[in-house]
């Protein structure tokens, strides 16, 4: 889906990267159902069957399915129980045909398929409903994301503007013999860039992927920073007067800017580094600075697992990436931002300026 | 391959670094990198100092190792595949990815990291099948002496 920014120009809507639970069809399982022989008995039978086979895992399913086929009478089927399967022996699964199943008013049980859990999206619902009636509560916000109707025109233009900046950084990397990946960290409230990085893995440290570099430049902007990332194309605060096309202004004098950083209102979010950390936390937990809290990242290539986790540690708010990557950790090989047992989640959108970002990896002719 | 005595020795060095981190107000994690029986690089968590939540002990040690290689004139691509890493806590998912990228073959860790562990606790980045993402590496089960620290 797309949105017009000006007559004749459409900006494609970024594609949300959601968990498999949301994107894939709901898995189906086998159950036993039985036809109702006398429709007048239906509500009585529902009570009896529900008490005999409670089915606590399948509460999203209606107990009864009415089917009208052609000119024939409507038939009614009642859901009985889960069919026994090799990998699970749950208490509510059994084969009712085994022990001479007898229920007045019900015909012979037979197998059919149903959704194992509730549908989350409308598309999932429409698929599940073909098998057996199920409850569905639409998540309107989610549906808008899926339909590509989530961002306004202004927002789409802003997204494109920042991805262009990341592309610029990636181009710079390419021209200097670096891996062509650019990353830009943005404060969406102030609508300004707070860090720009490009890949430096070929400059000595194989871990200096664009995201890692950008994150450190943001730290620099707050009076910190660990790695000595300096040089053209990398910086953490854009001059207001700076033209983004002017390469000669890109060399940042990090030392003079550190004093300016002290006036940055972001300082109020920084943790006093002299405070004793919580030693009851296991591993390297983040009582320290969540330096990208509330910030968005624009990166031309899907981050790898190292970078994706670096963004968890930094508490990034949203990630917009251009081209997917075979090793990518935000939708391709992993979906780290939707990993259930990690305490920080961020939203991810892909295919932002997909063509331009994909062409970065092509050899220059 | 280091023997039990050496393993403990390196772990105690890592533990000292973890204590130093704690004294500086950092989350106490320390690690050392061993090359041909010598500790050639080490590090502890510097997240608060650098205001960068990604500057974990392993990352610091890696930086030191690369500097050491340059200093002594060794090719990092020949050193890394035979370096051993000893760290007080299971590497997080980020650091596990980093260690793969560097082709570090083996890691000993003191205690598991149920919150962010990337070597079995939350994910198993060390052993996952990933094409062109460095090398899988071996991890050794927790060294008992570390449990009380973590
Ligand atoms: Zn990366
Ligand atoms: Zn780590």
């Amino acid at each position: 889906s797309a949105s017009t920014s000006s007559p004749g120009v459409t900006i494609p809507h970024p594609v949300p990267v959601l968990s498999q639970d949301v994107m894939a069809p709901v898995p189906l399982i086998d159950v036993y159902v039985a036809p109702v022989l006398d429709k007048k008995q239906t509500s009585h039978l529902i009570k009896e069957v529900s008490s005999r086979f409670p089915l606590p895992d399948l509460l999203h399913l209606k107990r009864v399915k009415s089917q009208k086929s052609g000119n024939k009478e409507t038939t009614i089927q009642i859901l009985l129980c889960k069919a026994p399967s090799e990998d699970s022996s749950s208490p509510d699964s059994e084969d009712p045909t085994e022990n001479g199943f007898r229920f007045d008013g019900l015909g012979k049980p037979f197998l059919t398929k149903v959704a194992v859990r509730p549908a989350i999206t409308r598309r999932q619902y429409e698929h599940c409903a073909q098998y057996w009636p199920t409850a569905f509560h639409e998540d309107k916000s989610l549906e808008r994301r899926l339909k590509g109707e989530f961002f306004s025109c202004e927002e789409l233009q802003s997204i494109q503007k920042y991805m262009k900046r990341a592309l610029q950084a990636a181009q710079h990397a390419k021209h200097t013999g670096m891996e062509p990946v650019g990353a830009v960290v943005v404060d969406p409230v102030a609508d300004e860039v707070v860090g720009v990085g490009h890949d430096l893995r070929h400059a000595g440290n194989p871990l200096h992927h664009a995201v890692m570099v950008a994150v450190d430049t943001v730290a620099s902007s707050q009076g910190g920073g660990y790695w000595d990332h300096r040089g053209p194309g990398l910086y953490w605060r854009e001059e207001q007067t700076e033209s983004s096309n002017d390469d000669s202004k890109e060399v940042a004098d990090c030392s003079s800017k550190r004093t300016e950083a002290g006036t940055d209102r972001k300082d109020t979010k920084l943790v006093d580094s002299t405070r004793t950390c919580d030693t009851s936390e296991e591993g390297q937990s983040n009582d320290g600075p969540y330096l990208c809290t509330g910030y968005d990242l624009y990166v031309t290539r899907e981050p790898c697992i190292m970078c994706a986790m670096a963004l968890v540690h930094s508490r990034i708010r949203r990630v917009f990436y251009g081209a997917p990557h075979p090793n990518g950790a935000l939708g391709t090989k992993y979906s780290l931002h939707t990993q259930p047992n990690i305490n920080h989640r961020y939203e991810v959108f892909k295919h932002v300026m997909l063509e331009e970002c994909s062409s970065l990896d092509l050899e220059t002719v | 391959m280091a023997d039990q005595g050496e393993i403990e020795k390196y772990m105690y060095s890592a533990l000292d670094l973890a204590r130093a981190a704690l004294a500086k107000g950092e989350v106490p994690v320390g690690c050392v990198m061993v090359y041909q029986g010598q500790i050639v690089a080490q590090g502890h968590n510097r997240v608060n100092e650098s205001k960068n939540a990604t500057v974990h002990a392993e990352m610091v040690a890696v930086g030191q190792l690369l500097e050491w290689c340059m200093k002594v004139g060794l090719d990092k691509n020949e050193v890394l595949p035979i370096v051993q890493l000893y760290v007080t806590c299971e590497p997080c998912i980020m650091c596990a990815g980093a260690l793969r990228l560097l082709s570090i073959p083996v890691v000993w860790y003191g205690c598991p990291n149920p919150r962010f562990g990337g070597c079995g606790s939350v994910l198993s980045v060390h052993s996952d099948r990933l094409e062109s993402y460095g090398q899988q590496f071996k991890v050794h089960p927790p060294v008992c002496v570390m449990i009380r620290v973590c």
Side-chain angles (χ1 to χ4, degrees):
Chain A
S1 197
S3 197
T4 7
S5 59
S6 60
V9 179
T10 52
I11 300 179
H13 199 282
V15 175
V17 181
L18 303 163
S19 66
Q20 272 302 92
D21 282 356
V22 173
M23 297 312 289
V26 177
L28 303 170
I29 54 165
D30 285 329
V31 294
Y32 279 101
V33 304
V36 170
L37 300 173
D38 176 5
K39 276 185 267 180
K40 296 199 205 85
Q41 300 278 325
T42 304
S43 42
H44 163 73
L45 284 166
I46 290 174
K47 276 202 199 111
E48 287 213 22
V49 167
S50 300
S51 113
R52 169 76 177 79
F53 300 108
L55 300 179
D57 294 344
L58 299 178
L59 295 175
H60 53 287
L61 300 174
K62 304 260 156 84
R63 184 58 78 162
V64 152
K65 176 181 180 183
S66 312
Q67 223 165 5
K68 190 161 169 57
S69 46
N71 293 328
K72 297 191 198 149
E73 265 194 50
T74 307
T75 58
I76 296 183
Q77 295 161 8
I78 287 193
L79 177 62
L80 297 174
C81 58
K82 289 193 214 173
S85 73
E86 286 139 16
D87 33 82
S88 69
S89 52
S90 53
D92 53 348
S93 80
E94 57 185 283
D95 182 348
T97 62
E98 251 174 21
N99 302 314
F101 174 82
R102 285 279 181 275
F103 240 98
D104 282 339
L106 287 183
K108 186 162 184 260
F110 59 94
L111 282 170
T112 192
K113 290 193 184 294
V114 299
V116 71
R117 53 170 187 263
I120 300 172
T121 67
R122 179 155 288 280
R123 172 181 272 185
Q124 283 177 336
Y125 166 66
E126 281 161 9
H127 169 250
C128 293
Q130 289 171 358
Y131 291 89
W132 193 268
T134 170
F136 175 59
H137 305 289
E138 187 178 83
D139 179 340
K140 289 192 163 50
S141 172
L142 175 59
E143 294 300 323
R144 278 201 305 274
R145 273 174 179 75
L146 291 169
K147 277 193 273 193
E149 291 167 8
F150 185 65
F151 293 113
S152 69
C153 273
E154 290 76 25
E155 284 169 320
L156 289 174
Q157 283 171 17
S158 175
I159 290 167
Q160 189 173 67
K161 173 182 83 175
Y162 290 123
M163 189 54 87
K164 279 185 177 163
R165 190 66 194 84
L167 274 162
Q168 197 183 35
Q171 286 293 351
H172 191 101
K174 203 168 186 175
H175 295 148
T176 52
M178 295 294 125
E179 190 74 8
V181 190
V184 171
V185 182
V186 170
D187 178 345
V189 169
D191 192 19
E192 65 176 19
V193 172
V194 296
V196 180
H198 64 62
D199 209 282
L200 289 173
R201 75 186 71 177
H202 302 312
N205 188 327
L207 306 182
H208 288 175
H209 291 188
V211 168
M212 304 301 280
V213 172
V215 162
D216 200 53
T217 55
V218 173
S220 294
S221 81
Q222 295 168 24
Y226 183 75
W227 307 101
D228 196 15
H229 294 315
R230 303 210 184 173
L234 310 175
Y235 54 99
W236 44 265
R237 185 175 296 283
E238 273 182 315
E239 302 285 358
Q240 298 289 21
T241 55
E242 194 173 308
S243 138
S244 59
N245 288 323
D246 189 346
D247 247 77
S248 63
K249 284 194 184 161
E250 282 186 15
V251 181
D253 182 353
C254 293
S255 54
S256 68
K257 289 205 174 136
R258 270 173 205 199
T259 50
E260 275 178 33
T263 61
D264 185 9
R265 63 188 155 77
K266 187 82 165 59
D267 272 352
T268 56
K269 284 190 196 168
L270 294 178
V271 173
D272 177 0
S273 61
T274 60
R275 142 189 112 107
T276 317
C277 56
D278 180 0
T279 57
S280 67
E281 293 277 287
E282 285 161 272
Q284 292 177 101
S285 65
N286 291 295
D287 294 304
Y290 296 145
L291 83 167
C292 291
T293 301
Y295 290 171
D296 294 340
L297 173 84
Y298 294 78
V299 56
T300 54
R301 180 193 286 181
E302 181 182 358
C304 72
I305 187 69
M306 173 184 71
C307 294
M309 192 62 193
L311 294 167
V312 169
H313 288 317
S314 307
R315 295 294 193 270
I316 200 84
R317 183 179 83 128
R318 293 186 304 191
V319 171
F320 294 89
Y321 70 82
H325 191 271
N327 289 330
L330 299 181
T332 303
K333 251 339 209 274
Y334 301 93
S335 195
L336 191 71
H337 60 301
T338 62
Q339 188 76 28
N341 34 5
I342 291 181
N343 64 353
H344 175 68
R345 306 290 194 93
Y346 50 86
E347 265 202 290
V348 174
F349 294 89
K350 65 180 177 182
H351 296 180
V352 178
M353 299 187 73
L354 175 60
E355 217 184 285
E356 294 90 334
C357 290
S358 301
S359 69
L360 284 168
D361 289 333
L362 300 174
E363 291 298 329
T364 43
V365 177
Chain B
M1 186 66 84
D3 63 31
Q4 190 60 31
E6 282 177 314
I7 293 170
E8 281 190 23
K9 179 182 80 175
Y10 299 135
M11 269 306 194
Y12 275 116
S13 296
L15 187 47
D16 283 343
L17 289 160
R19 288 199 185 100
L22 185 57
K24 292 187 205 169
E26 301 275 4
V27 171
V29 184
C31 79
V32 301
M33 300 182 93
V34 175
Y35 173 74
Q36 294 183 345
Q38 300 266 55
I39 293 177
V40 295
Q42 61 190 30
H44 66 64
N45 188 344
R46 288 185 188 266
V47 163
N48 289 334
E49 175 196 312
S50 66
K51 297 179 168 54
N52 180 339
T54 70
V55 185
H56 287 188
E58 300 90 325
M59 296 301 205
V60 173
V62 165
Q64 276 203 12
L65 182 77
L66 295 172
E67 276 177 12
W68 176 81
C69 288
M70 273 182 37
K71 193 172 92 167
V72 302
L74 287 174
D75 180 357
K76 68 175 186 285
N77 295 318
E78 289 181 11
V79 170
L80 288 162
I82 51 175
V83 154
Q84 299 166 11
L85 182 92
Y86 296 81
V87 56
T88 55
C89 193
E90 178 190 351
C92 74
I93 290 164
M94 172 185 75
C95 293
L99 296 172
R100 270 192 83 118
L101 286 171
L102 298 166
S103 299
I104 286 172
V106 65
V107 171
W108 274 269
Y109 64 85
C111 59
N113 182 346
R115 224 173 143 197
F116 297 126
C119 298
S121 290
V122 178
L123 290 180
S124 298
V125 174
H126 67 298
S127 60
D128 280 345
R129 289 255 208 100
L130 297 166
E131 49 174 270
S132 316
Y133 199 76
Q135 299 292 330
Q136 296 164 325
F137 59 89
K138 283 209 184 75
V139 295
H140 286 269
V143 175
C144 295
V145 69
M146 293 293 114
I147 304 291
R148 60 182 164 79
V149 174
C150 298

